[in-house]
């Protein structure tokens, strides 16, 4: 009231610049309040009231701010002073920036594969763009001078490099989201407060969810109880060693079986494929697929001996299946190497024969050093060399097709047929088929993920020799997705165990990385050591495939560039550089370890400090209370410590 | 004006009004220009399909009601769905989650609150010893200041690191 009177007595004057500034600030504040109102945890009534008042304020003063030098403003000045003195909602509204939702999806961003291929491919398509053999070795094509061999090489190398980058970046991102290894520290709390999905509206889904939450709690309780108990260490260790020994025997056995079958198929190939039955022709692939189906079940049975914690047991199981597939794949590749050597010998023989054939074309009419007009021969008549690269591509394609077929057939028989039998035979069977043996099959998440990873590995291996393989695999993956979606909805029940192999899916990404490395090794080996075919593919005629780089450097770049490159690729420079990188990795790893340690220490300190503060505050409360027991207006009930702090200040 | 206080557009608010009206067509007027003070009781609200199966439906409605008994006016109804919608920020959701799980409304999550939460989640399938173990462990994990109850800051610290919170604590209408 004083302010009002004082101002009223003065002459009506314009607002000074500072007052204008303050008014403007106030208006901006109100506007910000309006925009952040929806994020405030207030009851709706309070929000609406605030909104109305702020709107009125803003409307009144925004117009006024524009004019600046009006006589009427003194009245506004009074109201402004009032507003500044008594802001009803406290201090500056805090920013509530909506944080972007953290998607919790599995990062399988590397799935860029495709396709289903039929037997047509082994006929006409052999000479089509799908395979290596189609590509011409002409250095520059068309008026754009497109360097085709160079681009083929660079694309091959580039895709591998890009894959590495994506996988490692995803792993790093997953590791960061982990919170630095924090994911075990709030297990029970998170299960309690974040496991119910508020979107559930269907009673059946709700029942399933209740059951799965109960199971998950029971597992966590079991885990907690197990970590507190001590077992007979020696027996457990012996059993574990025994189990590993059995597993190794299995792996060795399967490796030998594949080797044996591959040798046999080579023998068949020499005798001519037509004289054998379908089984004998496709023996290798069928054996590999069958092993892939039955060995994991065997591993599961053996792992019952080991008595591990379920998550550890799952990781061991996945590791063993991984080793199985890897062993099989590498046996396959070694067999392929044998075939490549065979084809190269054939090529030598053919080259020899070709010179003889050419000579025969001229019918001995030439002297040793004379030239003659070239005789035109239809391209189809020229004998073609056995293109080993195309053969490699075809083998991979065949492998992938049989793998796909096995998956689909297992799905249809193992899941669908089984579900049909269980459902319909249940009416006339002595025991309950649905609850007891066979019952519906479970949807095995980890097994399916592993299958995807291996499919990807095979694509990486074969992509250099069958360039359209990735494109076709996309098609295959689409079909697989729809088929498996249907199968899951129709014939599967959820898994009983709710353990994940790792908290952040980095376990699978690590597997993917290993597979990437191991898959690209054979391709790199063949590029570096085996000379390309003489008459097919973009590198034909060269002594090594990577000569294309050398060629490009010599002819397309200025001379000094070539010199720089040759200096840079000198082993004397490369080796120290590699050493430096190894040292850098070691250094970074040790600093990260020390940071993690420091992090844990700080956390512990934080807990201790906050406990101490709480104790001190409680003590002060009681002191104050005992000192002025009647002064109830400065001491609030013991719960609200902020009141005590206010009293202290 | 409502759309400034919520995360909904005008159209969505009209849709919400339609749903509110459906719950009690004879009570809820179609015309809200006079701002009638109509409140629907808890029993009607929790019969909505979005809330019907939720074990915490009663608590959710009580938190957003002005009288704390679960009688929602249309403003409160909109507020409820807005705070739990996809675009609501994490901080807001954390505040309301804390209120929802605080069964005895004392601004702390004490052991009884945790036990009630757990029993609703598992529909009483766990034995009392198991319930006790889980609640003790959860309290140990989240209680930073050692007073054997979770204050809002303890709860917030724990929830901020939870990867599933935003995706599960969300209602769609």
């Amino acid at each position: 009231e004083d302010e009002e009177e004082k101002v009223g007595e003065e002459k009506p004057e314009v607002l000074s610049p500072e007052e204008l500034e303050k008014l403007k600030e106030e208006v901006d504040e109100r506007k910000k309040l309006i925009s952040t109102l929806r994020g405030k945890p207030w009851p709706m009534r309070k929000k609406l009231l605030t909104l109305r008042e702020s709107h009125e304020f803003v409307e009144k003063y925004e117009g006024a701010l524009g004019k600046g030098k009006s006589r009427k403003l003194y009245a506004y000045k009074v109201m402004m002073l009032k507003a500044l003195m008594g802001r009803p909602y406290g201090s500056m509204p805090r920013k509530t920036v909506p944080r972007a939702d953290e998607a919790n999806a599995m990062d399988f961003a590397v799935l860029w594969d495709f396709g289903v291929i039929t037997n047509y491919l082994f006929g006409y398509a052999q000479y089509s763009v799908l395979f290596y053999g189609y590509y011409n070795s002409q250095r520059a094509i068309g008026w754009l001078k497109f360097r085709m061999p160079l681009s083929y090489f660079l694309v091959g190398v580039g895709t591998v490099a890009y894959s590495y980058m994506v996988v490692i970046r995803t792993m790093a991102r997953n590791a960061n989201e982990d919170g630095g290894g924090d994911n075990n520290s709030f297990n029970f709390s998170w299960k309690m407060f974040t496991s119910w999905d508020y979107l559930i509206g269907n009673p059946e889904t709700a029942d399933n969810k209740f059951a799965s939450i109960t199971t998950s709690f029971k597992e966590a309780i079991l885990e907690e109880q197990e970590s507190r108990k001590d077992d007979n260490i020696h027996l457990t260790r012996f059993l574990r060693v025994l189990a590993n020994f059995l597993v190794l025997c299995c792996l060795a056995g399967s490796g030998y079986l594949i080797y044996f079958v591959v040798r046999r198929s080579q023998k068949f190939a020499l005798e001519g494929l037509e004289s054998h039955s379908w089984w004998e022709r496709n023996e290798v692939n069928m054996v590999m697929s069958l092993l892939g189906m039955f060995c994991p079940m065997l591993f599961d049975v053996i792992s019952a001996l080991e008595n591990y914690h379920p998550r550890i047991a799952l990781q061991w199981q996945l590791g063993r299946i991984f080793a199985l597939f890897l062993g099989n794949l590498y046996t396959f590749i070694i067999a392929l190497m044998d075939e490549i050597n065979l084809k190269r010998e054939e090529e030598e023989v053919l080259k020899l024969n070709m010179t003889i054939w050419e000579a025969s074309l001229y019918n001995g009419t030439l002297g040793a050093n004379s030239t003659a007009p070239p005789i035109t021969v239809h391209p189809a008549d020229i004998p073609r060399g056995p293109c080993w690269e195309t053969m490699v591509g075809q083998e991979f394609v065949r492998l992938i097709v049989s793998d796909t077929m096995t998956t689909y057939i297992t799905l249809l028989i193992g899941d669908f047929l089984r579900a049909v039998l269980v459902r319909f035979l249940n009416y006339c069977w002595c025991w309950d088929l649905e609850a007891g043996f066979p019952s519906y099959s479970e949807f095995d998440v980890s097994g399916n993920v592993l299958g995807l990873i291996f499919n990807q590995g095979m694509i990486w291996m074969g992509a250099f020799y069958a360039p359209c393989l990735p494109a076709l695999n996309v098609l295959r993956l689409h079909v697989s997705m729809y088929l498996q979606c249907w199968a899951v909805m129709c014939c599967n029940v959820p898994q009983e165990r709710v353990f994940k192999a790792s908290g952040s899916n980095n376990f699978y990404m690590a597997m993917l990385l290993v597979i990437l490395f191991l898959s690209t090794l054979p391709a790199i080996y063949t590029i570096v050591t085996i000379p390309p075919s003489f008459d097919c593919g973009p590198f034909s005629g060269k002594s090594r495939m990577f000569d294309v780089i050398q060629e490009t450097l010599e002819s397309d770049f200025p001379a000094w560039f070539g010199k720089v490159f040759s200096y840079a690729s000198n082993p004397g420079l490369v080796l120290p550089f590699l050493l430096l990188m190894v040292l850098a990795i070691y250094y970074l790893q040790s600093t990260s370890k020390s940071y993690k340690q420091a992090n844990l220490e700080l956390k512990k300190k934080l807990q201790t400090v906050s406990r101490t503060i709480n104790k001190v505050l409680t003590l002060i409360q009681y002191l104050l209370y005992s000192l002025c027991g009647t002064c109830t207006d400065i001491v609030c009930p013991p719960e609200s410590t902020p009141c005590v702090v206010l009293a202290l200040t | 004006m409502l759309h400034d206080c919520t995360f909904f557009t005008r159209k969505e608010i009209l849709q919400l009004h339609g749903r509110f009206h459906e719950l009690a067509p004879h009570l809820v007027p179609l015309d809200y220009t006079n701002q009638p003070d109509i409140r629907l009781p808890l029993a009607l609200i929790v019969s909505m399909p979005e809330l019907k199966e939720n074990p915490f439906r009663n608590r959710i409605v009580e938190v957003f009601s002005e009288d704390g008994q679960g009688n929602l006016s249309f403003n409160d109804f909109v507020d409820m769905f807005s705070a739990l919608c996809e675009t609501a920020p994490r901080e807001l959701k954390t505040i309301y989650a804390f209120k929802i799980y605080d069964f005895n409304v004392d601004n702390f999550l004490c052991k009884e609150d945790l036990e009630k939460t757990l029993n609703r989640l598992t529909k009483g399938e766990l034995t009392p010893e198991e319930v006790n173990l889980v609640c003790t462990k959860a309290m140990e994990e989240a209680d930073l200041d050692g007073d054997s109850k979770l204050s809002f800051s303890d709860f917030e610290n724990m929830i901020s690191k939870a990867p599933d919170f935003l995706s599960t604590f969300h209602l769609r209408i």
Side-chain angles (χ1 to χ4, degrees):
Chain A
E1 266 74 33
D2 285 310
E3 300 275 340
E4 202 172 342
E5 282 177 15
K6 207 171 34 175
V7 168
E9 279 164 9
E10 289 172 18
K11 272 198 298 198
E13 54 189 71
V14 300
L15 286 177
S16 64
E18 305 91 50
E19 286 162 337
L20 259 177
E21 199 51 49
K22 267 206 212 120
L23 188 63
K24 194 162 176 305
E25 257 177 47
E26 183 65 25
V27 167
D28 281 338
E29 243 186 72
R30 289 299 177 116
K31 277 203 204 153
K32 214 196 290 186
L33 179 62
I34 293 177
S35 66
T36 56
L37 204 52
R38 43 171 72 106
K40 294 232 178 288
W42 296 339
M44 192 57 103
R45 195 185 283 265
K46 187 171 172 188
K47 281 198 264 194
L48 286 172
L49 202 62
T50 322
L51 186 67
R52 198 174 301 134
E53 285 183 12
S54 306
H55 260 317
E56 282 171 7
F57 186 89
V58 166
E59 273 167 20
K60 210 182 292 184
Y61 293 114
E62 256 194 321
L65 279 176
K67 295 172 203 137
K69 293 189 205 280
S70 161
R71 281 185 158 227
K72 287 182 269 184
L73 275 181
Y74 84 96
Y76 291 141
K77 189 176 168 189
V78 166
M79 296 189 71
M80 178 201 82
L81 283 172
K82 264 196 171 160
L84 280 176
M85 291 304 144
R87 277 184 272 166
Y89 299 108
S91 55
M92 294 282 260
R94 275 179 216 265
K95 258 187 352 159
T96 40
V97 178
R99 207 183 298 170
D101 275 8
E102 287 140 26
N104 194 24
M106 294 221 284
D107 289 297
F108 276 96
V110 228
L111 292 177
W112 42 294
D113 281 339
F114 323 71
V116 174
I117 306 171
T118 65
N119 274 318
Y120 156 77
L121 287 171
F122 305 124
Y124 270 123
Q126 185 173 310
Y127 304 110
S128 78
V129 73
L130 286 169
F131 290 109
Y132 176 97
Y134 168 85
Y135 295 91
N136 196 338
S137 71
Q138 193 181 345
R139 204 176 142 262
I141 301 183
W143 61 274
L144 275 174
K145 300 262 184 260
F146 178 62
R147 308 273 190 262
M148 217 271 290
L150 180 69
S151 102
Y152 192 99
F153 188 79
L154 288 179
V155 164
V157 172
T159 44
V160 171
Y162 180 69
S163 308
Y164 270 109
M165 213 178 65
V166 171
V167 173
I168 291 185
R169 197 171 52 179
T170 314
M171 285 181 80
R173 198 172 350 131
N174 281 348
N176 276 341
E177 268 173 18
D178 244 358
D182 220 356
N183 57 350
N184 276 330
S185 54
F186 289 115
N187 231 351
F188 284 94
S189 320
W190 287 348
K191 279 207 210 310
M192 201 180 282
F193 294 114
T194 64
S195 56
W196 179 263
D197 186 357
Y198 280 55
L199 280 173
I200 291 178
N202 176 337
E204 226 177 74
T205 321
D207 282 334
N208 277 341
K209 190 69 179 173
F210 281 123
S212 93
I213 290 179
T214 310
T215 315
S216 141
F217 270 114
K218 289 213 160 121
E219 297 276 14
I221 291 171
L222 212 75
E223 182 177 338
E224 180 64 29
Q225 285 170 342
E226 252 184 67
S227 73
R228 296 180 182 175
K229 79 176 168 190
D230 264 327
D231 246 344
N232 184 353
I233 286 265
H234 298 291
L235 182 65
T236 320
R237 276 210 194 122
F238 170 71
L239 285 175
R240 284 177 189 173
V241 167
L242 179 65
N244 279 319
F245 174 71
L246 288 172
V247 165
L248 275 170
C249 288
C250 269
L251 288 172
S254 90
Y256 178 70
L257 185 62
I258 293 181
Y259 183 72
F260 173 72
V261 168
V262 164
R263 277 258 168 266
R264 235 161 65 118
S265 83
Q266 282 172 350
K267 207 168 39 130
F268 291 156
L270 282 175
E271 294 163 11
L273 283 172
E274 298 73 27
S275 57
H276 295 280
S277 62
W278 176 85
W279 170 265
E280 278 161 343
R281 258 181 291 162
N282 290 296
E283 208 168 30
V284 179
N285 299 316
M286 291 313 297
V287 164
M288 282 180 70
S289 308
L290 286 170
L291 277 174
M293 245 196 322
F294 289 114
C295 280
M297 289 190 235
L298 198 59
F299 291 155
D300 222 352
V301 169
I302 294 176
S303 72
L305 278 174
E306 287 178 323
N307 196 18
Y308 272 126
H309 177 289
R311 179 179 295 128
I312 310 281
L314 184 63
Q315 286 181 341
W316 273 97
Q317 174 77 348
L318 291 178
R320 284 171 184 152
I321 300 178
F322 188 78
L324 176 75
F325 279 145
L326 219 56
N328 295 351
L329 213 56
Y330 264 70
T331 316
F332 174 76
I333 287 175
I334 291 172
L336 216 59
M337 288 295 176
D338 280 343
E339 271 189 71
I340 292 177
N341 286 331
L342 256 158
K343 283 252 162 24
R344 286 182 52 217
E345 282 167 14
E346 237 182 80
E347 199 178 292
E348 295 300 314
V349 168
L350 194 87
K351 269 202 263 197
L352 208 64
N353 284 342
M354 267 197 78
T355 47
I356 300 175
W357 175 79
E358 265 180 13
S360 75
L361 276 183
Y362 292 101
N363 270 334
T365 53
L366 288 177
N369 286 326
S370 61
T371 54
I375 300 177
T376 47
V377 186
H378 193 276
D381 286 335
I382 303 179
R384 301 282 277 255
C387 197
W388 64 262
E389 295 98 340
T390 306
M391 184 268 301
V392 168
Q394 284 177 341
E395 285 299 318
F396 273 109
V397 163
R398 207 177 275 139
L399 183 67
I400 288 172
V401 169
S402 77
D403 183 58
T404 314
M405 288 299 136
T406 319
T407 315
Y408 292 166
I409 292 176
T410 325
L411 201 67
L412 285 172
I413 297 183
D415 287 0
F416 182 62
L417 207 63
R418 176 170 160 181
V420 163
L421 284 174
V422 167
R423 175 63 71 92
F424 292 117
L425 278 184
N426 210 12
Y427 296 124
C428 49
W429 204 264
C430 19
W431 71 83
D432 187 359
L433 287 171
E434 279 183 12
F437 170 68
S439 82
Y440 300 108
S441 55
E442 284 183 352
F443 181 67
D444 180 16
V445 176
S446 50
N448 276 299
V449 170
L450 215 61
L452 280 173
I453 292 178
F454 273 101
N455 170 251
Q456 184 61 42
M458 291 195 273
I459 301 292
W460 271 321
M461 253 196 257
F464 192 75
Y465 295 110
C468 282
L469 202 56
L472 293 170
N473 205 30
V474 156
L475 209 63
R476 172 227 139 114
L477 282 175
H478 273 90
V479 172
S480 279
M481 184 187 80
Y482 285 113
L483 189 65
Q484 289 199 291
C485 256
W486 163 79
V488 157
M489 289 304 170
C490 162
C491 344
N492 282 16
V493 290
Q495 253 179 324
E496 268 190 43
R497 288 202 299 211
V498 290
F499 278 96
K500 297 206 291 181
S502 80
S504 63
N505 296 320
N506 256 356
F507 183 75
Y508 294 118
M509 294 313 282
M511 271 196 175
L512 196 64
L513 191 65
V514 172
I515 281 266
L516 173 57
F517 177 66
L518 293 171
S519 314
T520 49
L521 271 184
I524 293 178
Y525 174 75
T526 52
I527 290 175
V528 167
T529 47
I530 306 185
S533 303
F534 76 100
D535 71 339
C536 77
F539 309 112
S540 59
K542 304 209 196 338
S543 66
R544 287 279 184 276
M545 290 186 195
F546 56 81
D547 281 347
V548 71
I549 302 268
Q550 195 68 22
E551 220 182 75
T552 316
L553 280 175
E554 280 165 13
S555 39
D556 290 331
F557 284 100
W560 58 267
F561 202 85
K563 237 190 265 182
V564 167
F565 207 76
S566 69
Y567 286 151
S569 54
N570 185 349
L573 205 64
V574 169
L575 282 173
F577 183 68
L578 279 174
L579 197 64
L580 191 67
M581 283 211 301
V582 167
L583 290 174
I585 290 176
Y586 175 71
Y587 171 73
L588 286 171
Q589 212 210 8
S590 59
T591 48
S592 110
K593 237 189 270 190
S594 69
Y595 283 146
K596 264 196 202 150
Q597 203 56 34
N599 214 3
L600 281 168
E601 300 271 344
L602 282 172
K603 252 187 240 169
K604 281 200 200 113
K605 254 194 212 156
L606 191 72
Q607 284 194 357
T608 326
V609 167
S610 77
R611 278 194 198 154
T612 318
I613 288 184
N614 204 41
K615 288 203 180 95
V616 169
L617 282 175
T618 326
L619 190 64
I620 293 179
Q621 279 173 36
Y622 281 123
L623 277 176
L624 280 174
Y625 196 68
S626 62
L627 279 178
C628 28
T630 52
C631 313
T632 48
D633 49 353
I634 59 165
V635 178
C636 311
E639 270 86 56
S640 24
T641 42
C643 291
V644 178
V645 175
L646 209 59
L648 286 176
T649 55
Chain B
M1 280 245 273
L2 260 184
H3 93 278
D4 272 331
C5 299
T6 66
F7 293 97
F8 291 126
T9 61
R10 276 185 227 274
K11 187 168 123 185
E12 285 163 340
I13 294 183
L14 283 171
Q15 280 173 339
L16 275 168
H17 183 234
R19 294 296 302 274
F20 195 64
H21 173 82
E22 261 172 47
L23 289 173
H26 46 288
L27 278 177
V28 175
L30 279 170
D31 178 11
Y32 252 72
T33 46
N34 302 328
Q35 312 232 349
D37 189 20
I38 303 285
R39 283 156 200 274
L40 294 186
L42 182 94
L44 269 180
I45 312 275
V46 300
S47 67
M48 289 180 73
E50 287 86 353
L51 289 177
K52 196 159 50 97
E53 302 297 332
N54 194 319
F56 303 109
R57 54 190 179 272
N58 289 350
R59 277 302 302 153
I60 298 175
V61 178
E62 281 167 15
V63 162
F64 285 97
S65 66
E66 275 204 59
D67 57 5
Q69 302 298 318
N71 300 309
L72 293 187
S73 68
F74 180 61
N75 286 343
D76 300 327
F77 184 78
V78 171
D79 200 17
M80 177 171 76
F81 282 103
S82 161
L84 263 58
C85 79
E86 222 162 351
T87 43
R90 197 187 187 112
E91 293 84 3
L92 191 67
K93 285 193 174 168
T94 312
I95 293 175
Y96 280 115
F98 184 75
K99 290 193 189 169
I100 288 175
Y101 294 123
D102 183 11
F103 282 83
N104 51 11
V105 201
D106 62 350
N107 273 333
F108 284 99
L109 296 179
C110 54
K111 194 131 181 253
E112 289 74 38
D113 292 329
L114 293 183
E115 282 174 4
K116 283 211 187 98
T117 311
L118 186 61
N119 280 323
R120 296 224 181 170
L121 276 177
T122 57
K123 275 189 163 176
E125 290 276 328
L126 294 181
T127 68
E129 298 85 44
E130 289 173 337
V131 168
N132 192 33
L133 176 66
V134 171
C135 293
T136 315
K137 283 297 296 178
M139 187 68 81
E140 251 175 55
E141 287 168 357
D143 187 15
L144 283 180
D145 49 14
D147 56 359
S148 22
K149 44 190 183 180
L150 303 183
S151 66
F152 178 67
S153 52
D154 296 333
F155 183 76
E156 190 186 12
N157 175 49
M158 181 265 291
I159 283 283
S160 65
K161 306 201 176 86
D164 294 328
F165 178 60
L166 278 177
S167 57
T168 55
F169 193 73
H170 135 228
L171 273 179
R172 198 185 294 146
I173 187 162

